[in-house]
Amino acid sequence: MGIKPRYYLIVVLDIEQFGRRTDPLQQWLRERLHAITDEALREAGIGPADMEAVSDRGDGSFLLIRPTVSKLDLTTRFVDALQAGLRGHAQRSNEDSALRVRVALHAGDVARDDRGWVGEALNTACRLVDLDALRAALGAADRSGLALAVSADWHTAVVRHDFPELPAAGFREVPFEAKEIHSHAWLHVPGYDEPPGVGSSPAPGKPAESARAATGQGPASGNHGPFAGAVFHNPQRVYGGDHYEGVDPAQVRPRDGGQGAGA
C-alpha cells in the first residue's frame, strides 16, 4: 500500500549568501537560525503539538505545521517574531556574521516515506524560496532581516482579504516560473510599503508613499512598526555573489489590494 499524503502548512527558510561563509560561520549561523525560528514559533503560539516536522536543508530548513494553526497567525505573528529575532541578531553582529533569510509560505499535501518527506507542494515551496525576485527584494532591503514570498493559493486564502493586521497593499505580485511551475507569487518585505528591487521603486533615501497613506487610511504598518529605523547588515556587500538587478517592471503586476492570482 502506498504512502498517504496529508495536508500541511509549509514554511521554508533559506539563509542569504550562506555558501560564501566559512564552515565554522555556517555552523554558527545555522544554530542561530534554528534558535530564532524556535523562539518565533513560541511567540506565535505554535507549540510542539502543532508541528509535524522540522527538517534541515543545510542553508536553511523547512517546517511542516498541522493545519490546526491559522495561516493568518503564521503570516503575521510568526513572520513578525522572526523579524524581531533577526533584528536582535543584527544588533549584536557585523556584516561578516549577518543573518538574513528568505521565507516562503505554501500549503498542500505532503507524504513521508522511509527516507524523508515528498510531495509536489513541498517542491513548490522549496522553489518559491529560491525565486529570483525574492532574492532581489532581500538584496535591496537594508531595513529588513527577511523577505517573504507566499504562493498564489496562500495569497488567495489569506492576504487578499486585507485583514487589519495584514494589509494586502504591502504585497506585490511577480511571475513564479520554475521547471513545471507556471504561476505567480506575492512578495512582502517588512519595513517597506512595497518590496524593493522588483520593479519601480522610490529614489534612494525617499520612502514610497503607500496606497493606504495616500487614501487617508493612515500609515502603512511596514515603515511605522517596531522595526522602523532598524539597520540590517547586508552580506551582499561583503560576499558579493549573484546580484539581481530586479525583475522587468513589465512583468510585475501592480498591487490590487484584494484580487488574488489563481493557482
Side-chain angles (χ1 to χ4, degrees), residues 156-176:
T156 298
V158 184
V159 177
R160 76 175 183 88
H161 296 288
D162 200 31
F163 290 98
E165 64 269 47
L166 188 64
F171 287 74
R172 192 170 183 87
E173 188 178 11
V174 299
F176 180 19

Side-chain angles (χ1 to χ4, degrees), residues 83-106:
Q83 167 81 331
L86 293 168
R87 181 176 186 266
H89 175 92
Q91 290 175 331
R92 299 185 294 272
S93 66
N94 56 26
E95 289 181 338
D96 281 329
S97 56
L99 176 58
R100 303 199 311 163
V101 298
R102 301 187 307 280
V103 183
L105 297 179
H106 185 46

Side-chain angles (χ1 to χ4, degrees):
M1 205 170 166
I3 56 177
K4 294 183 178 180
R6 297 183 183 274
Y7 184 86
Y8 297 108
L9 313 185
I10 305 169
V11 183
V12 184
L13 304 105
D14 198 275
I15 299 173
E16 183 185 37
Q17 295 289 326
F18 184 79
R20 302 199 174 242
R21 318 299 179 92
T22 63
D23 286 353
L25 190 52
Q26 287 185 8
Q27 181 179 357
W28 182 71
L29 289 174
R30 280 161 44 90
E31 293 171 355
R32 291 294 303 135
L33 178 59
H34 289 311
I36 291 169
T37 301
D38 289 346
E39 180 60 27
L41 290 168
R42 284 191 291 270
E43 290 286 332
I46 302 171
D50 300 310
M51 302 297 299
E52 182 65 30
V54 178
S55 184
D56 189 88
R57 298 180 68 231
D59 56 357
S61 61
F62 71 80
L63 319 177
L64 298 181
I65 301 174
R66 298 188 177 107
T68 50
V69 172
S70 164
K71 289 179 180 177
L72 180 60
D73 282 347
L74 203 57
T75 317
T76 55
R77 295 176 62 191
F78 170 73
V79 171
D80 288 348
L82 188 63
Q83 167 81 331
L86 293 168
R87 181 176 186 266
H89 175 92
Q91 290 175 331
R92 299 185 294 272
S93 66
N94 56 26
E95 289 181 338
D96 281 329
S97 56
L99 176 58
R100 303 199 311 163
V101 298
R102 301 187 307 280
V103 183
L105 297 179
H106 185 46
D109 287 357
V110 184
R112 182 177 179 86
D113 61 19
D114 293 338
R115 293 178 176 81
W117 295 94
V118 60
E120 180 181 356
L122 182 57
N123 293 343
T124 297
C126 291
R127 286 168 184 159
L128 183 59
V129 85
D130 282 332
L131 194 62
D132 283 355
L134 186 63
R135 293 176 182 272
L138 185 57
D142 287 339
R143 297 200 304 273
S144 182
L146 66 86
L148 170 68
V150 304
S151 65
D153 287 347
W154 193 284
H155 182 274
T156 298
V158 184
V159 177
R160 76 175 183 88
H161 296 288
D162 200 31
F163 290 98
E165 64 269 47
L166 188 64
F171 287 74
R172 192 170 183 87
E173 188 178 11
V174 299
F176 180 19
E177 302 281 342
K179 295 186 177 181
E180 73 284 354
I181 299 170
H182 306 285
S183 184
H184 289 85
W186 294 78
L187 308 187
H188 172 67
V189 179
Y192 292 82
D193 290 325
E194 62 180 44
V198 290
S200 58
S201 59
K206 182 179 180 180
E209 182 181 28
S210 72
R212 297 177 67 85
T215 55
Q217 299 182 46
S221 60
N223 286 339
H224 301 271
F227 312 114
V231 176
F232 291 81
H233 299 295
N234 190 338
Q236 291 270 12
R237 297 173 184 158
V238 176
Y239 298 100
D242 295 330
H243 286 268
Y244 297 88
E245 298 299 333
V247 176
D248 181 356
Q251 292 186 317
V252 182
R253 301 187 182 185
R255 301 164 295 170
D256 60 9
Q259 297 297 320

